[in-house]
Each structure stands twice: as C-alpha cells, then as structure tokens.
Amino acid sequence: MRKLENAELGRLKAEEFKIAPKLPMVLVLDNVRSLNNIGSVFRTADAFRFQAIYLCGFTATPPHREIQKTALGATETVEWFYTSSTMEAVQSLREQGFIVCSVEQAEKSRSLETVEWDPNKSYALVFGNEVEGVDQLVVDASDTVIEIPQLGTKHSLNIAVSVGILSWDFAKTFLLKV
C-alpha cells in the first residue's frame, strides 16, 4: 500500500476553503492557556471545515509563533473571534440559534456515546482551561454538558485530544451521508 502524496489528497486551497460550505459547528475555548492546544484546535477546525473558533478570556490569539507551530496555517483559513468573556460568546451563540454544549465532567452530563447530533441544527462546543475546565457559570448557561467516557486513572484528557474526539463524532454525522 502506497502513501499518497500531498498533491493527491484533493485538499482545498485557502481561498476555496473560505467560500466552501461549513459544517454547523463552532468551537469555543474558555481560558485555554496552551498555545500548542490552541494551534491544534485551529488545525482540527480546518480538517472538519467548522464555521469558526471563539477564543475567550486569556486564550491567546493569532498571529503567534507558538500557535502557528501546531496550526500549520489553519489560522489563515478558519474564521475566529476573540471576546474577553466566554459568557458573552455563549450568549451571542445562543441568540444566533446554536445549541451550546460544554464538554465537562458534571452532574447529569450526557456521555458522548449517547449523543445524537441533528444535522439540521448548529452547535457550539465549549472546551475549558487545562486545569480548571469549563467555568461553572458557562456550564450553567449551556444547553447540555457532554462527557467523554474514560476508563483510566487520570479522569481527564488534553484539550486538543478532547476537541479531536468530539469533532470526529460530530463530523461523521455528515460524512456518513455523503
């Protein structure tokens, strides 16, 4: 089996990406401190052609050399917004009709394997700080809380890994229809 060359992958050019239809998903980063995690989220949002990323609180914004290391140019394709308050972003997204889902371990959270994404609705996934998680006020303001089931001892995943897991779970709803 031969690996494909980059030219064979049929990837969109940046200009094509910007005008291409997007999946009805935005990612919200609530006070994420790791620049590598932020860059990875950009790359994941590009891979699944999500609508946008909201960078909130002390989450760093492009352009930044450390974000670029992992984003590999995705900051140039994925639309992003900054707001000093995650609650402002959540309220704005809800007003726009998004279903806001915090990704967190919480009472009455929904385990990811039970989530059924409605392809006719728009979603905003909120991912929290690497130490504190999603702020409690944001959890309270969310329409639902989704938890990734885990079997090990650490009871947490790196935010970039969590974004990848939820993004694939969401995107396959659309990819399976193709």
Side-chain angles (χ1 to χ4, degrees):
M1 190 175 304
R2 179 183 67 82
K3 287 176 34 178
L4 295 175
E5 300 290 327
N6 282 343
E8 297 175 277
L9 296 177
R11 301 285 187 213
L12 297 175
K13 293 181 173 70
E15 306 79 41
E16 296 170 323
F17 181 95
K18 288 181 180 183
I19 61 172
K22 307 295 187 288
L23 295 186
M25 172 64 74
V26 300
L27 304 175
V28 180
L29 302 186
D30 178 24
N31 291 304
V32 172
R33 62 185 176 161
S34 166
L35 301 173
N36 290 325
N37 281 336
I38 297 164
S40 182
V41 170
F42 268 95
R43 206 156 144 198
T44 300
D46 176 280
F48 293 112
R49 210 183 308 155
F50 288 165
Q51 290 180 1
I53 298 173
Y54 284 72
L55 306 169
C56 306
F58 61 71
T59 305
T61 63
H64 195 289
R65 188 173 63 91
E66 291 300 311
I67 294 173
Q68 286 306 111
K69 277 175 146 179
T70 48
L72 295 178
T75 57
E76 304 304 316
T77 55
V78 176
E79 189 171 21
W80 62 272
F81 303 94
Y82 173 77
T83 180
S84 60
S85 165
T86 306
M87 282 299 295
E88 284 178 27
V90 165
Q91 290 167 344
S92 173
L93 289 163
R94 290 187 85 199
E95 289 170 7
Q96 296 172 55
F98 284 83
I99 297 170
V100 176
C101 309
S102 283
V103 180
E104 188 57 83
Q105 297 164 330
E107 294 175 344
K108 300 181 183 174
S109 63
R110 298 174 58 195
S111 191
L112 179 57
E113 77 275 4
T114 69
V115 174
E116 292 187 28
W117 305 103
D118 183 340
N120 299 309
K121 295 184 178 177
S122 297
Y123 295 88
L125 294 178
V126 182
F127 297 89
N129 174 274
E130 294 87 343
V131 175
E132 301 296 325
V134 178
D135 184 271
Q136 183 64 54
L137 292 174
V138 175
V139 170
D140 293 341
S142 298
D143 296 300
T144 191
V145 177
I146 300 172
E147 185 172 343
I148 301 169
Q150 299 171 51
L151 304 173
T153 62
K154 297 302 172 197
H155 305 292
S156 69
L157 293 166
N158 178 283
I159 181 177
V161 172
S162 296
V163 169
I165 290 169
L166 270 289
S167 295
W168 167 246
D169 193 75
F170 178 79
K172 71 181 181 185
T173 300
F174 296 89
L175 296 173
L176 295 176
K177 292 182 177 238
V178 175

